[in-house]
Amino acid sequence: MTASSAAGSSKDRVLIFDTTLRDGEQCPGATMTLEEKLEVADLLDAMGVDIIEAGFPIASNGDFEAVSLIAKRIKNATVAGLARAISADIARAGEAVRHAARPRIHTFVSTSPIHLAHQMRKTEEEVLEIITKTVTQARNLVDNIEWSAMDATRTPIDYLCRCVDAAIKAGATTINLPDTVGYATPDEYRAMFKAVRERVPNADKAIFSAHCHNDLGLAVANSLAALEGGARQIECTLNGIGERAGNAALEEVVMAIKTRGDVLPYETGIEATMLTRASKLASAATSFPVQYNKAIVGRNAFAHESGIHQDGMLKNAQTYEIMTPESVGVSKTSLVMGKHSGRAAFRNKLEELGYSLSDNQFQDAFERFKDLADRKKHVYDEDIEALVDQNIATAHDRIKLVSLSIVAGTRGPQRATMRLQVDGKTVIEEQEGNGPVDATFNAIKALVPHEAVLELYQVHAVTEGTDAQAEVSVRLSADGRSVTARAADPDTLVASAQAYLGALNKLLSRGARLHAQHAAE
C-alpha cells in the first residue's frame, strides 16, 4: 500500500520519517537540550516532515519529557516514540505520545541469526511470539504502529517474511526493514523489499519503510533503491547524523527525488527551501559542524573555484549546477546588514533566514547583533545565524560568561582573568596557562571544578576577512558521556570560553537529570 498521492499528481507520495531527535541524538557528543529538541521539532513540522521520531521514552525521564512535550505541541506531523519489544517500553512510549494529534509507537526486535544468538539469546519461534505479543500490546494503546526488524538485511528471507507476517497480523501499520549496520548494496536492498512484499500475503495492509545506515556510504542510495522495491517511507536525519557513520541524510533524499523525477517518479511533502535552515539548526543544536563539501547543504555545495567551472557558470548556471541555491534555501545576497540597521530590518532578516523568535529572544538577539555590528565592518547572514543559534543554545545555561581578559605574547606567562555567572551568582578567577586558550580553560576549571576531559578543540572562521567571527567547537567527556558545543565571536578566545562553557553546561544538565532519575528510583 502506498501513501495517498496529492490531488492531481501522478507520482507516488513518499513519507519522510525524521529520526534526528532519536537516532541522530545517539551520535556520540550530539546530545541536545530539551529546548533545542523543541526548536528542531517545530522546524521539522513546519517544513512538512510526515513523522517525527521524538525519542526513546524508556531511556530516561528527560527523553520521556521531551517526547511528551513534542507530542503535545506538534500540529501536523505524526509523533513517534521508540520502544523495544518489552512490555514496559511499549507502555512508556504509549504514555509519552498519547497527547499527540497523530501518535505512533515504533517498536523493534532483532531478527538476524547473529543478533538472536548473541544479543537476544532467543530462538526464532520465541521471537515470533514476542512480535505478536508486543505489537498487539502497542495496537491496544494507539492505532498507528510501526514494527522494525532490526538487522533485517542480514536476516534469512524466509524467516523475515514470517516475522513481517506476524507483525501485520498483530496490527502493525508500517513495516520497517532497516539496514541496521549499513551492510547492504542497493540491488540487495531493493530485492529484499520486493521479495517480502510479494511473499507476505497481507503485505498490502502496511506501508513499508527503509532505514539505512551509512557505514559504506550507501545510505541514501539504498533508501532510494528501497522505493523501487515498494517502500513508501524513508527514515532519515538532518545532515545524516546518527550512530557510527550516520543515517541517510534527509536533505539528500528529498533533493534526489525532487531533482531526478525522470527516474524517481515520487514526491515528498517537504518544503525544500527550508532545508538549509534545518541543516544549520541541527548543526547548532548538536554542535556537529557540517562538512564543507556536504551534498545539498555544505558551504561549498554551490561554490565554483575551477576556472572552467566559473566560465561555464557565467555563461549558463545549468552547465555546472543541477539545482539552484534558492531551491534549498541558500540566499544569493548575503551582505545586507550593518550597525545602522534597525529593529524592523533585523526582524525581516531573521524571517528571511527562517527564524521565529519570541520578544525576549528577539531583544537578546538584536542587542548581540548591534554589538557585533560595532565590532565588524560587515555582518553576513552566516554571522547572524551563528549569533542567533548560540542564543537559542545557551538560553537556559546555568553557567554564563560575563567577561574575559587575556594577557598573552612572546614573553609570557599567558594569563586569563574570567568572570562567570554560576546559578545567578557572579564569581571571578585568574589563572595562568601554556598559552591563552589553556589559561582560559584553567580559569573555567578553577571556577567550576570538574573532571571532564577535553577531547576536541577546533577553530574555523564563519565568514571571510580578518574581522570574521571565529567559530569554536569543543568536545568534553566525563563518565563515559561525550558532549559537543560550539560558539562564535570575533574574539577567538571569547568563542573558546563560550564553547567550553556550552559543553560543560550540557554535561552538568545531563548529570542533574541522571541524579534526579536515580533519586526517583
Side-chain angles (χ1 to χ4, degrees):
M1 180 177 73
T2 64
S4 59
S5 299
S9 173
S10 61
K11 296 182 177 181
D12 282 345
R13 177 74 150 79
V14 174
L15 301 176
I16 297 298
F17 176 114
D18 183 274
T19 184
T20 302
L21 299 174
R22 198 279 300 172
D23 205 339
E25 205 203 12
Q26 290 178 208
C27 183
T31 302
M32 288 175 263
T33 66
L34 175 60
E35 291 75 21
E36 289 165 341
K37 288 183 178 182
L38 296 178
E39 292 276 349
V40 172
D42 285 344
L43 187 55
L44 291 173
D45 195 35
M47 70 188 290
V49 165
D50 298 288
I51 303 98
I52 299 172
E53 187 164 55
F56 197 172
I58 199 71
S60 70
N61 289 333
D63 253 33
F64 177 84
E65 180 186 9
V67 176
S68 298
L69 287 175
I70 291 169
K72 291 174 183 176
R73 68 192 278 150
I74 293 303
K75 296 179 176 61
N76 303 309
T78 296
V79 177
L82 186 69
R84 294 168 297 182
I86 298 173
S87 179
D89 277 40
I90 292 170
R92 189 69 164 162
E95 176 66 19
V97 302
R98 67 188 181 93
H99 293 295
R102 282 166 285 280
R104 173 183 291 191
I105 295 175
H106 177 195
T107 183
F108 68 94
V109 69
S110 295
T111 56
S112 69
I114 190 169
H115 277 222
L116 263 60
H118 300 286
Q119 186 173 19
M120 293 288 291
R121 296 183 180 177
K122 301 283 186 182
T123 66
E124 290 185 350
E125 296 304 318
E126 287 174 326
V127 169
L128 285 168
E129 291 177 8
I130 290 171
I131 292 170
T132 299
K133 177 182 176 181
T134 53
V135 172
T136 300
Q137 178 193 355
R139 188 60 188 264
N140 287 333
L141 296 175
V142 299
D143 292 334
N144 191 334
I145 306 300
E146 177 170 342
W147 176 78
S148 289
M150 188 155 74
D151 206 18
T153 52
R154 295 193 294 177
T155 300
I157 193 68
D158 290 344
Y159 182 60
L160 184 60
C161 288
R162 291 178 65 195
C163 291
V164 170
D165 185 51
I168 295 175
K169 284 179 178 176
T173 52
T174 298
I175 297 295
N176 181 36
L177 304 179
D179 186 21
T180 305
V181 293
Y183 179 74
T185 63
D187 281 344
E188 291 171 334
Y189 204 50
R190 178 193 306 109
M192 180 187 70
F193 277 91
K194 187 174 185 293
V196 171
R197 293 182 69 252
E198 288 176 348
R199 293 174 56 174
V200 174
N202 51 0
D204 61 337
K205 295 181 180 178
I207 292 174
F208 279 74
S209 178
H211 179 117
C212 298
H213 281 264
N214 205 38
D215 298 73
L216 294 176
L218 296 171
V220 171
N222 283 338
S223 298
L224 297 175
L227 298 181
E228 295 183 53
R232 288 299 179 268
Q233 175 178 292
I234 291 180
E235 308 193 2
C236 42
T237 62
L238 296 172
N239 300 330
I241 64 170
E243 287 195 276
R244 304 185 314 278
N247 291 39
L250 182 149
E251 61 278 0
E252 295 177 25
V253 168
V254 169
M255 290 310 294
I257 291 173
K258 185 178 177 69
T259 305
R260 294 304 312 274
D262 55 331
V263 292
L264 298 170
Y266 317 108
E267 63 183 7
T268 73
I270 300 296
E271 176 51 62
T273 58
M274 298 178 71
L275 289 174
T276 296
R277 172 72 204 113
S279 166
K280 289 180 178 178
L281 178 60
S283 178
T286 59
S287 297
F288 263 55
V290 177
Q291 69 191 65
Y292 284 8
N293 63 335
K294 168 75 171 65
I296 314 300
V297 293
R299 180 178 293 186
N300 292 349
F302 297 96
H304 304 271
E305 186 168 338
S306 160
I308 295 174
H309 285 221
Q310 289 176 347
D311 178 66
M313 286 294 296
L314 290 170
K315 292 173 179 173
N316 187 323
Q318 292 184 348
T319 55
Y320 288 101
E321 282 187 354
I322 60 172
M323 65 194 95
T324 65
E326 293 87 352
S327 69
V328 296
V330 176
S331 173
K332 279 189 173 179
T333 57
S334 179
L335 178 62
V336 291
M337 302 296 289
K339 66 180 181 180
H340 298 297
S341 300
R343 291 174 182 273
F346 184 64
R347 189 180 293 278
N348 183 67
K349 171 54 67 175
L350 291 179
E351 290 174 358
E352 286 181 10
L353 295 174
Y355 290 98
S356 178
L357 304 183
S358 67
D359 289 341
N360 287 339
Q361 286 176 321
F362 174 80
Q363 181 60 32
D364 290 342
F366 183 70
E367 289 175 1
R368 291 196 64 197
F369 160 69
K370 295 297 280 188
D371 177 62
L372 180 63
D374 282 335
R375 301 161 69 188
K376 285 195 67 180
K377 290 180 180 179
H378 305 302
V379 179
Y380 295 86
D381 289 355
E382 293 85 352
D383 292 316
I384 295 173
E385 288 167 337
L387 72 86
V388 175
D389 288 337
Q390 187 172 326
N391 253 25
I392 292 171
T394 62
H396 299 272
D397 283 354
R398 291 175 51 196
I399 309 166
K400 296 185 178 182
L401 179 67
V402 177
S403 65
L404 173 66
S405 297
I406 300 290
V407 176
T410 56
R411 291 182 180 273
Q414 288 75 34
R415 181 174 292 272
T417 303
M418 178 177 290
R419 190 186 303 268
L420 298 180
Q421 190 178 79
V422 182
D423 294 328
K425 181 181 177 182
T426 301
V427 292
I428 188 169
E429 180 65 41
E430 185 175 295
Q431 287 286 318
E432 293 182 357
N434 184 22
V437 174
D438 189 46
T440 299
F441 291 173
N442 286 341
I444 294 174
K445 291 177 183 177
L447 290 167
V448 188
H450 61 274
E451 299 299 323
V453 176
L454 178 65
E455 291 186 335
L456 172 72
Y457 173 75
Q458 197 171 61
V459 183
H460 75 267
V462 173
T463 55
E464 68 272 12
T466 56
D467 64 348
Q469 289 195 92
E471 186 172 70
V472 177
S473 298
V474 166
R475 182 180 301 146
L476 297 179
S477 66
D479 300 323
R481 182 77 174 179
S482 291
V483 297
T484 308
R486 290 192 297 168
D489 192 272
D491 188 317
T492 305
L493 296 171
V494 171
S496 299
Q498 290 173 334
Y500 194 105
L501 289 171
L504 190 56
N505 272 296
K506 288 185 178 183
L507 279 179
L508 293 176
S509 175
R510 169 71 177 175
R513 289 200 302 270
L514 289 175
H515 179 75
Q517 182 180 348
H518 292 155
E521 293 171 352

